[in-house]
Amino acid sequence: MQITHSSHSFLINKNLLTHFIGISIVILSSIGCQSRKGLLPELQSELTGEQMVQKYCSGCHLPVSPKLADKDSWDNHILPAMAPKLGIPVLRGNQYYQVAKPQNQSAISFEDWLKLVAYFKSMAPEKLDSAKSPVVLEKAWSLFSLRKPDSLKNASLTTFVSINPYTHNIYTSNEEDNNLSVWDTQLKKNYSVLLSSPVTQSIHFNKDQSAFVCIGSMLAVDVPNGSMVHTHFDQQKNLIPETLFSGLLRPVQADSGDFNKDGRLDWVVCSFGHNTGSLDLFTHNVDHTFTKTVVREIAGATQTVTGDFNQDGWLDIMALFASGDEGVWLFSNNQKGGFTSKNLLRFPPIYGSTSFQLVDFNKDGKLDILYTCGDNSDYSRILKPYHGVYIYLNQGNFQYKQTYFYPVNGCTKAIATDFDQDGDLDIASIAFFGDLVNKPEETFIYFEQTQRLQFSPYAIPVHQYGRWICMDVGDVDADGDSDIVLGNYSRGFINQKETKQYWSKNLPFIVLENTKQKRKD
């Protein structure tokens, strides 16, 4: 099966890249959605809190257990954010009050709302456990050695890193100045060009031409000023940008392919948005304009992988959604310009899904799913035991079974490849929202596969050099093995109040150079 995988460089933070919808807004706004459509009767006060959650939240996403967040998060953040979405006024903090005349099309009665609040507050734990490592992290460099570029004069707010497989150059974007920069194999900056907004992802076509997703706004707002930009080098070796199409709602990732078999390159774009968003197909017309078709109209589209997954000769889409109804969906090409959808994996809306990758872990010829969750920029900014790295093995017929989980607080991304060249897949992970106070070493972990689906995790000691929000894997030094580039977003988004910054403020990225080939030589 031929798979077209997007660049691994992908900014995965809800607050930064659009994942800023809290679970709280989603849980009961979905109730209102269904109630207004006349699909559900008005909530009845005789229902228990658990019955309300099960009956009225499951239509739009998985029901959320109160045990998935602590009491303070529910009481002071999540529930107060829910209330206005249901027509329940909030005076201040967690003080709700009833209006004299109920608002039109109310999704819940005031009495039922108070019962729901009481249910969550009574069932939630006082404190949630953090993600606990099942084995001790070995603090060692393993295969890797450190390489660093020169530090920046200003703060490093790197939103994107990518390795061009044709030139081995490194591409980066910095929110501080919206510059797209190109670094050579000696980690010297050769080119830089100003774009309209920070880059979050790239696709490299050859040594001279690439395409980039510009998010438009890093803020969680529904402003359609994102764009797709194509770049090329002119004869004077200047980097020239050209906008392919614009007006996108905070796009974070894109893939290309010929979806209608007309010989022209089309684009599928994840417009994460904020309250609104969509997964869209932009069909390339003869006159080089693009026609937009909405594949799924919902906020939270985060990442796609394209391929002929049902083996009918037409290009399909697999997509991760990370806001509200979180999970992985398959969109099969109907050969008529549209798609049919099938849910493959589904997660509670508090998980904070961050990335997925299709790889064959057990060498059975079927693509498995490597998945991470750990976005912690919503209304429950606490460490969570279910954040981490997951593997779902393909059982056939698009059925998947969880066979591996390693807890990592605030896990942002994982990439699998054969780093040590022993014939099986290893994993590299980053955690932007890791436990920065007690376990800073978990912000980058290398998982060496030692036996089938058994991994030895190494805490490569790099946390003092940056706070890693983006990562890419490729051959930077052109020696035939896989190196790792980590992008440093050095400022802001601190959930643990006791955190004291120990990482570099000005280093844009680091390279973890794989020494496997050098050891062979």
Side-chain angles (χ1 to χ4, degrees):
M1 181 185 300
Q2 181 66 36
I3 297 297
T4 305
H5 199 294
S6 62
S7 166
H8 293 301
S9 168
F10 167 56
L11 180 63
I12 320 251
N13 173 298
K14 267 183 200 159
N15 219 351
L16 298 176
L17 277 195
T18 69
H19 304 68
F20 202 79
I21 281 188
I23 157 200
S24 53
I25 294 178
V26 184
I27 289 179
L28 289 177
S29 63
S30 63
I31 301 175
C33 167
Q34 295 189 42
S35 179
R36 285 191 296 271
K37 292 180 180 179
L39 299 179
L40 296 174
E42 184 178 349
L43 291 173
Q44 300 298 315
S45 58
E46 64 266 16
L47 295 177
T48 67
E50 183 176 4
Q51 288 171 331
M52 291 181 189
V53 172
Q54 291 295 325
K55 184 172 183 178
Y56 299 108
C57 296
S58 61
C60 291
H61 56 76
L62 287 180
V64 179
S65 168
K67 300 183 184 299
L68 293 181
D70 66 342
K71 197 179 298 293
D72 178 72
S73 294
W74 285 112
D75 193 18
N76 294 312
H77 303 285
I78 301 175
L79 293 170
M82 283 186 191
K85 300 294 181 180
L86 299 169
I88 304 296
V90 181
L91 182 61
R92 61 181 179 275
N94 60 353
Q95 300 299 310
Y96 313 104
Y97 68 97
Q98 185 174 16
V99 293
K101 182 180 179 180
Q103 296 186 13
N104 293 333
Q105 300 177 330
S106 176
I108 188 171
S109 70
F110 187 73
E111 291 77 13
D112 282 350
W113 167 253
L114 294 181
K115 181 180 290 188
L116 197 63
V117 168
Y119 167 71
F120 276 98
K121 291 170 62 175
S122 65
M123 297 299 294
E126 289 291 337
K127 183 179 180 180
L128 207 65
D129 291 335
S130 62
K132 305 295 185 184
S133 301
V135 297
V136 177
L137 281 170
E138 184 176 348
K139 299 179 181 179
W141 284 94
S142 185
L143 295 173
F144 301 98
S145 63
L146 176 68
R147 293 181 61 197
K148 298 185 294 182
D150 293 335
S151 295
L152 304 176
K153 294 181 180 179
N154 298 323
S156 172
L157 299 179
T158 303
T159 62
F160 151 85
V161 291
S162 179
I163 303 167
N164 187 323
Y166 303 98
T167 63
H168 309 283
N169 290 337
I170 296 172
Y171 288 67
T172 66
S173 180
N174 194 333
E175 186 194 359
E176 187 79 0
D177 53 18
N178 289 345
N179 272 335
L180 172 68
S181 300
V182 184
W183 309 72
D184 64 21
T185 56
Q186 302 304 311
L187 307 190
K188 300 297 181 182
K189 188 188 296 186
N190 280 354
Y191 311 100
S192 188
V193 61
L194 179 65
L195 299 181
S196 59
S197 65
V199 173
T200 57
Q201 188 251 349
S202 70
I203 296 176
H204 300 292
F205 300 111
N206 53 47
K207 65 178 183 178
D208 293 320
Q209 297 187 64
S210 302
F212 301 91
V213 178
C214 296
I215 189 173
S217 175
M218 302 295 281
L219 301 176
V221 292
D222 289 311
V223 178
N225 55 1
S227 61
M228 283 290 304
V229 175
H230 175 267
T231 66
H232 66 278
F233 290 100
D234 63 14
Q235 293 181 349
Q236 288 74 41
K237 296 297 182 181
N238 296 312
L239 189 61
I240 308 299
E242 175 188 3
T243 300
L244 293 176
F245 43 87
S246 57
L248 305 178
L249 271 173
R250 301 179 72 209
V252 295
Q253 194 259 359
D255 263 320
S256 60
D258 186 0
F259 287 90
N260 57 1
K261 294 190 175 184
D262 64 357
R264 294 184 294 273
L265 198 63
D266 310 311
W267 294 90
V268 56
V269 178
C270 294
S271 287
F272 189 101
H274 175 45
N275 292 317
T276 59
S278 56
L279 178 66
D280 301 316
L281 176 66
F282 287 83
T283 304
H284 196 166
N285 301 318
V286 176
D287 61 358
H288 300 300
T289 61
F290 292 88
T291 299
K292 174 182 172 180
T293 301
V294 176
V295 178
R296 189 182 187 209
E297 191 168 12
I298 187 173
T302 298
Q303 185 184 352
T304 62
V305 178
T306 60
D308 183 10
F309 299 116
N310 56 9
Q311 299 182 356
D312 65 351
W314 291 74
L315 200 59
D316 309 309
I317 304 166
M318 204 171 289
L320 174 67
F321 290 82
S323 176
D325 197 8
E326 298 191 23
V328 178
W329 270 258
L330 170 65
F331 298 93
S332 299
N333 195 325
N334 67 8
Q335 307 176 21
K336 301 177 182 178
F339 299 86
T340 58
S341 67
K342 177 182 177 62
N343 176 244
L344 305 181
L345 297 175
R346 208 175 182 204
F347 310 104
I350 198 171
Y351 263 45
S353 300
T354 47
S355 76
F356 85 113
Q357 184 185 358
L358 299 180
V359 284
D360 185 1
F361 272 101
N362 57 358
K363 301 180 182 180
D364 64 353
K366 297 190 291 288
L367 291 172
D368 310 306
I369 294 178
L370 175 65
Y371 163 81
T372 63
C373 60
D375 188 340
N376 232 5
S377 255
D378 54 20
Y379 294 103
S380 54
R381 301 181 184 184
I382 55 175
L383 301 176
K384 297 165 182 171
Y386 42 85
H387 280 172
V389 177
Y390 294 75
I391 294 174
Y392 292 86
L393 289 185
N394 192 333
Q395 306 298 299
N397 196 29
F398 299 111
Q399 301 297 312
Y400 297 85
K401 179 182 179 181
Q402 180 185 323
T403 53
Y404 181 80
F405 170 61
Y406 189 93
V408 180
N409 291 292
C411 193
T412 303
K413 188 173 185 177
I415 299 174
T417 195
D418 187 3
F419 287 102
D420 57 6
Q421 299 184 333
D422 65 350
D424 56 27
L425 292 173
D426 313 299
I427 302 171
S429 73
I430 56 173
F432 185 70
F433 288 106
D435 186 348
L436 303 179
V437 176
N438 303 302
K439 293 175 60 181
E441 63 273 9
E442 74 179 351
T443 56
F444 176 78
I445 302 175
Y446 166 59
F447 298 83
E448 179 188 352
Q449 187 169 185
T450 54
Q451 299 182 45
R452 183 181 179 273
L453 293 179
Q454 295 184 24
F455 299 86
S456 295
Y458 292 87
I460 310 296
V462 294
H463 54 273
Q464 67 269 35
Y465 299 109
R467 191 167 172 219
W468 316 121
I469 199 169
C470 48
M471 169 174 61
D472 195 19
V473 169
D475 190 0
V476 175
D477 53 4
D479 67 350
D481 54 26
S482 296
D483 309 304
I484 302 171
V485 181
L486 305 178
N488 176 25
Y489 196 97
S490 67
R491 188 174 65 202
F493 305 102
I494 302 295
N495 292 337
Q496 296 168 286
K497 295 181 180 179
E498 64 272 35
T499 302
K500 295 181 179 179
Q501 182 164 347
Y502 49 77
W503 56 87
S504 170
K505 297 180 181 179
N506 306 103
L507 195 62
F509 64 91
I510 63 171
V511 174
L512 295 179
E513 187 176 274
N514 191 329
T515 62
K516 183 66 176 180
Q517 283 296 332
K518 294 177 178 60
R519 294 179 186 181
K520 288 181 179 180
D521 298 339

